[in-house]
Amino acid sequence: MPKRIWAALLAGLLAAPALRAAPAALACEPEWGALVAAIGGERVSLKVATTARQDPHRVEARPSLLAAARRADLLVCTGADLEAGWLPVLLRRAGNPRIQPGQPGHLMAADHVTLLERPTRLDRADGDIHPGGNPHIHTDPRNVARVAAALTERLVRIDPEGEAGYRERFARFSADWDAALDRWRARAAPLAGVEVVVSHKAFPYLQAWLGLVEVAALEERPGVAPGPAHLQAVLQAIESRPVRMILSTPIDDPDAGRWLSERTGLPLVRLPYTVGGSPAARDLITLFDATLDRLLEALE
Amino acid sequence: MQQSVTASRLAMMVALALPGPAFADEGDLARLRAEMAALRAQYETRLAELEREVEALAAQPSATAPAPAPAPMGGARPAGASAFNPEVSLVLNGRYRHAEALEEPGITGFVKGGHGHEGEAHGDARRGFLLDESELVLAANVDHLFRGQLNLALVDETVEVEEAWIQTLALGHGATAKAGRFLSGIGYANGQHPHAWDFADPALMYVALFGEHGSYAQDGLQLSWVAPLEQWVEMGIELGRGSAFPGTERDRNGLGATAAFVRTGGDVGDSSSWRAGLSWLGTRAHERESHFEDAVSEEEVAGAFSGTSRMWIVDALWKWAPDGNPAARHLTLQAEAFRRVERGDLACVEDETPACADIGMGDYRTRQWGGYVQGVYQFRRGWRAGLRFDRLSTGTIDYGAASERLERPDFSPTRTSLMLDWSPSEFSRLRLQYARDRSVEAVTDHQWTLQYVMSLGAHPAHAF
């Protein structure tokens, strides 16, 4: 390899610590990317590992993510084994001690909230289950508020110079969030006690927040496509119940949901699930606005 | 819960009322039954009301009623020393293989590698129902500085240590060091264990280069470094013992094999990602035995090669999925090529064979190349189809003074493989493969393989 390239790479290596005045963050999912953007503002350079159209269970440890993990000062992911298929590879191959478990730069959102649906038995015959509990925690906005507080503390620890800015943006975010929570609570009143069928068990936190009642899941086992026998069983189970809608995410396989929708006449409601999951869900606030819009629309 | 509360209250009421009903007539019994039913209905409505209230309270925003602090995680995890047990995973492999009976399995024009014993039909050449090696993997962080992993391949009568390494976690600046036995970082497919292969067998070039195992493992040290750039650039060097084919065990101090690699990659839009690499491996052999054909006597001559073996490998990989979400559909295109040069001396193992007696042996020089191209497409959830073309070239073979005497095949071994596999979950795979194998001169082998690959336990995440 020519000497010039080696010299350039060496210069890059030596210059790296000097360039790191403002922290770099790697967010595993769009919701945490939006949260980092809200609290970190312009000061934090951000890379989001997945888009709303990618299944965070299934993406791979792509070269671009390895490069981002190499340079990151802060890693913000869901945790609870949601990223078990790729995050361990990033951590081991990036050569970056700042984002290893136990470091301030390693923030797992699931460590800061109470997880639901913690399995009482662990057997792969039950599908792709998560031993710590259901990882889709951000669908309850109260969890987002808790993670926002934890994220602010981490940013302050990693980048004390930016503290004033982080605290100010967090205060603004919290005020907006509390106001939005009041608004959402008022709007969501008619949803309490409404029975739903879900595609993947992606919404237990949303259900707990809104008082929706999950009657059945189209996926018999998480992560495994449903078979016809199970779909028939779901059809029978909901026949005598006042189920109002079928909930799915942008990444769920729509076939089973469509089938049930045709059989029963129930609306198949595609919730945005995360930031960018629908054109209206541009940030965290509009994500929940859009989610409530779709749910209330389906109720009419 | 609702039912059990109601039931226990009813049981209590019945117990209190017992002395009366014991002497009551049938009319009293009916009246009591009706009262009980009414009470039950009342309680059920009241409980339902209470439940709704609890739900409404739970739905209060955190601003007005702060939610309870999250329960500490891991409360239910096992405590004590066993909680630190390493991640264990076990891969079970087996197959049914239908193929031609070959007199001399191997690849025409390429020295046979591996550690199989002479005359023993091993590795790929076996037919019928086969149990492949079972892989047992133990891995864990040693402490905050190191991680360790052990891969064992369990086959009849042998336990082979495929990998046993420790790796640094906190060197920083993008650097990682690995020591022990590990799959070398050269090429792309070299780092994959058999359960991660896209086909039932390794690419022909890997068999030609490294023997039946289809991968090169170093006993030594690896240093790798990821550059702090937007673009992923990783480079590494390996210093090893060099005892594995194409090298041999040599009793000496110092360095036996050196490898170096550089690779890069990135994304193209949301849907595609790529990776490309260049690697070099240099090793030495001392009295590496292999067989040659004497063109005059048509006898087999055992020769022993001593010298250097050096190779370059280039690799390229392209992965595509709609919106970058590989869950439903995805396509992987992959290609690698090598060029290997071996230089040194060839000596006779048994001096009395005619070739040795007549002309002796001397120089040995080969320049060979080859590669493969493959594509694997997942066309629906769990179902993949793949096509692979292998082609090698025996290249230039020069045996010096013995060139006239020893047969030097001029042949291009090729193979075309077609596979279809089904993975009901990420942990199981069933595969059907057909290959038209022309790696042995003058033989066209139609091979059919039906295979299962299942992993149990904590399965480690795979690299890109």
Side-chain angles (χ1 to χ4, degrees):
Chain A
M1 188 170 284
K3 273 188 191 145
R4 235 182 308 155
I5 297 179
W6 281 112
L9 287 170
L10 195 64
L13 173 67
L14 295 174
L19 292 172
R20 209 183 298 125
L26 173 61
C28 286
E29 289 88 19
E31 59 270 18
W32 309 130
L35 195 60
V36 170
I39 310 286
E42 298 279 301
R43 190 173 170 83
V44 177
S45 70
L46 171 69
K47 161 100 183 171
V48 184
T50 55
T51 71
R53 292 179 308 283
Q54 294 171 347
D55 184 345
H57 297 94
R58 304 248 182 178
V59 296
E60 291 187 85
R62 308 193 302 274
S64 61
L65 301 186
L66 282 168
R70 158 70 173 93
R71 287 174 295 126
D73 301 291
L74 174 64
L75 179 74
V76 187
C77 297
T78 300
D81 282 342
L82 177 65
E83 301 95 352
W86 50 284
L87 190 56
V89 177
L90 294 189
L91 289 173
R92 267 170 234 151
R93 293 193 49 185
N96 181 355
R98 298 186 299 275
I99 56 167
Q100 298 298 323
Q103 297 297 316
H106 184 92
L107 175 61
M108 293 292 126
D111 294 347
H112 298 272
V113 303
T114 310
L115 295 189
L116 301 177
E117 294 186 349
R118 207 157 150 168
T120 48
R121 92 184 175 137
L122 293 177
D123 189 333
R124 288 257 161 79
D126 299 335
D128 184 17
I129 50 172
H130 299 272
N134 190 302
H136 306 288
I137 56 168
H138 71 280
T139 55
D140 180 343
R142 295 166 300 175
N143 283 343
V144 175
R146 291 184 192 114
V147 178
L151 173 64
T152 308
E153 294 312 313
R154 293 298 178 91
L155 282 169
V156 168
R157 270 181 80 182
I158 290 163
D159 177 28
E161 285 171 29
E163 176 166 3
Y166 299 137
R167 297 230 182 268
E168 191 202 316
R169 278 185 292 270
F170 175 64
R172 209 183 314 143
F173 174 83
S174 296
D176 290 350
W177 203 250
D178 287 342
L181 277 167
D182 284 340
R183 186 173 80 235
W184 293 329
R185 187 159 53 103
R187 287 190 69 197
L191 292 166
V194 167
E195 296 196 348
V196 298
V197 172
V198 298
S199 261
H200 174 69
K201 284 182 172 288
F203 299 110
Y205 300 89
L206 181 78
Q207 289 154 210
W209 174 51
L210 297 177
L212 297 171
V213 181
E214 178 189 313
V215 178
L218 294 179
E219 276 186 356
E220 186 177 9
R221 298 172 183 85
V224 180
H230 176 69
L231 289 178
Q232 283 294 346
V234 170
L235 190 62
Q236 272 166 18
I238 65 169
E239 242 169 4
S240 57
R241 308 204 58 151
V243 175
R244 302 293 299 273
M245 58 188 90
I246 307 160
L247 302 185
S248 77
T249 70
I251 52 172
D252 284 331
D253 188 359
D255 292 349
R258 268 190 215 130
W259 179 87
L260 190 68
S261 177
E262 277 164 22
R263 288 288 180 298
T264 57
L266 293 173
L268 175 61
V269 183
R270 185 150 281 210
L271 296 179
Y273 175 71
T274 185
V275 176
S278 78
R282 295 180 307 276
D283 55 27
L284 285 164
I285 297 235
T286 48
L287 164 65
F288 288 99
D289 284 333
T291 303
L292 287 179
D293 286 346
R294 295 241 168 133
L295 287 171
L296 292 167
E297 206 174 285
L299 204 59
E300 279 164 10
Chain B
M1 198 180 74
Q2 181 179 333
Q3 268 173 355
S4 73
V5 169
T6 319
S8 67
R9 295 216 172 188
L10 281 169
M12 222 159 62
M13 284 169 14
V14 171
L16 289 172
L18 261 179
F23 303 101
D25 58 21
E26 273 190 60
D28 284 341
L29 206 62
R31 186 176 49 82
L32 271 170
R33 278 204 180 113
E35 267 181 27
M36 275 166 69
L39 270 168
R40 184 185 286 139
Q42 233 178 338
Y43 271 100
E44 273 175 359
T45 354
R46 180 67 191 131
L47 272 165
E49 271 171 29
L50 279 170
E51 268 186 352
R52 269 198 293 278
E53 277 176 37
V54 167
E55 267 176 13
L57 277 172
Q60 295 273 330
S62 55
T64 50
M73 300 301 304
R77 283 181 197 156
S82 66
F84 291 102
N85 278 346
E87 304 144 30
V88 180
S89 80
L90 178 67
V91 184
L92 298 176
N93 285 303
R95 70 180 74 192
Y96 176 82
R97 185 168 180 273
H98 176 96
E100 288 285 315
L102 295 176
E103 264 178 52
E104 240 190 298
I107 305 170
T108 301
F110 285 82
V111 174
K112 204 158 111 188
H115 32 232
H117 301 289
E118 213 179 323
E120 184 187 309
H122 54 73
D124 261 352
R126 293 188 300 161
R127 305 187 295 159
F129 283 103
L130 300 169
L131 179 68
D132 289 329
E133 54 188 38
S134 308
E135 278 179 66
L136 181 64
V137 187
L138 303 173
N141 287 345
V142 178
D143 55 20
H144 61 296
L145 296 179
F146 299 104
R147 179 178 177 80
Q149 181 171 325
L150 172 72
N151 284 52
L152 297 176
L154 312 173
V155 215
D156 286 331
E157 291 144 33
T158 54
V159 175
E160 200 176 315
V161 179
E162 287 202 317
E163 289 196 88
W165 47 256
I166 55 129
Q167 184 188 46
T168 61
L169 293 172
L171 276 188
H173 304 289
T176 305
K178 216 183 221 188
R181 176 177 298 173
F182 49 86
L183 290 179
S184 170
I186 56 171
Y188 172 72
N190 193 67
Q192 291 179 332
H193 283 278
H195 73 262
W197 291 344
D198 289 321
F199 290 82
D201 37 27
L204 221 44
M205 79 173 237
Y206 274 99
V207 179
L209 288 176
F210 307 125
E212 70 193 34
H213 266 272
S215 59
Y216 187 75
Q218 291 266 30
D219 289 5
L221 186 68
Q222 181 192 64
L223 290 167
S224 61
W225 178 65
V226 183
L229 306 170
E230 289 276 324
Q231 168 100 349
W232 177 66
V233 178
E234 184 184 44
M235 45 191 87
I237 55 162
E238 292 169 2
L239 311 171
R241 180 172 184 81
S243 59
F245 183 86
T248 59
E249 183 60 53
R250 282 158 295 150
D251 179 21
R252 66 188 292 268
N253 292 318
L255 200 57
T258 314
F261 54 84
V262 55
R263 46 207 178 204
T264 182
D267 290 342
V268 181
D270 277 346
S271 301
S272 301
S273 316
W274 62 278
R275 187 203 119 128
L278 178 67
S279 336
W280 182 84
L281 171 69
T283 182
R284 293 185 69 86
H286 178 67
E287 295 182 352
R288 186 183 76 198
E289 274 190 43
S290 48
H291 294 272
F292 304 87
E293 292 280 329
D294 180 354
V296 177
S297 67
E298 293 188 356
E299 272 180 32
E300 253 194 6
V301 186
F305 165 75
S306 299
T308 60
S309 180
R310 294 178 180 144
M311 67 198 74
W312 289 93
I313 301 176
V314 290
D315 63 81
L317 179 73
W318 180 279
K319 291 193 183 188
W320 171 89
D323 296 323
N325 186 25
R329 284 185 302 140
H330 60 83
L331 174 70
T332 303
L333 298 176
Q334 178 183 330
E336 290 186 77
F338 79 94
R339 183 183 142 90
R340 177 169 71 184
V341 177
E342 295 198 315
R343 259 176 224 179
D345 303 311
L346 193 63
C348 282
V349 176
E350 293 146 352
D351 286 334
E352 62 273 17
T353 51
C356 284
D358 291 0
I359 52 160
M361 294 213 198
D363 282 356
Y364 177 97
R365 181 179 286 219
T366 61
R367 273 197 299 271
Q368 304 185 308
W369 58 271
Y372 72 93
V373 182
Q374 72 176 51
V376 175
Y377 182 55
Q378 177 170 307
F379 51 95
R380 57 174 295 181
R381 247 166 230 264
W383 287 90
R384 307 190 310 164
L387 182 62
R388 177 178 66 186
F389 296 106
D390 287 286
R391 187 188 162 92
L392 305 178
S393 168
T394 48
T396 338
I397 301 174
D398 183 358
Y399 297 137
S403 280
E404 301 301 311
R405 195 64 191 265
L406 299 180
E407 271 190 11
R408 294 177 298 160
D410 180 17
F411 173 65
S412 295
T414 58
R415 184 176 64 182
T416 305
S417 315
L418 197 62
M419 76 87 187
L420 176 73
D421 67 22
W422 175 56
S423 306
S425 75
E426 284 160 78
F427 308 100
S428 60
R429 176 164 288 163
L430 299 173
R431 176 183 289 138
L432 177 67
Q433 178 174 318
Y434 163 77
R436 198 186 63 155
D437 188 346
R438 303 175 90 163
S439 53
V440 176
E441 195 165 11
V443 178
T444 301
D445 189 0
H446 299 276
Q447 301 166 346
W448 289 92
T449 309
L450 188 60
Q451 187 193 22
Y452 67 83
V453 182
M454 312 257 159
S455 48
L456 292 67
H459 191 68
H462 283 145
F464 180 78

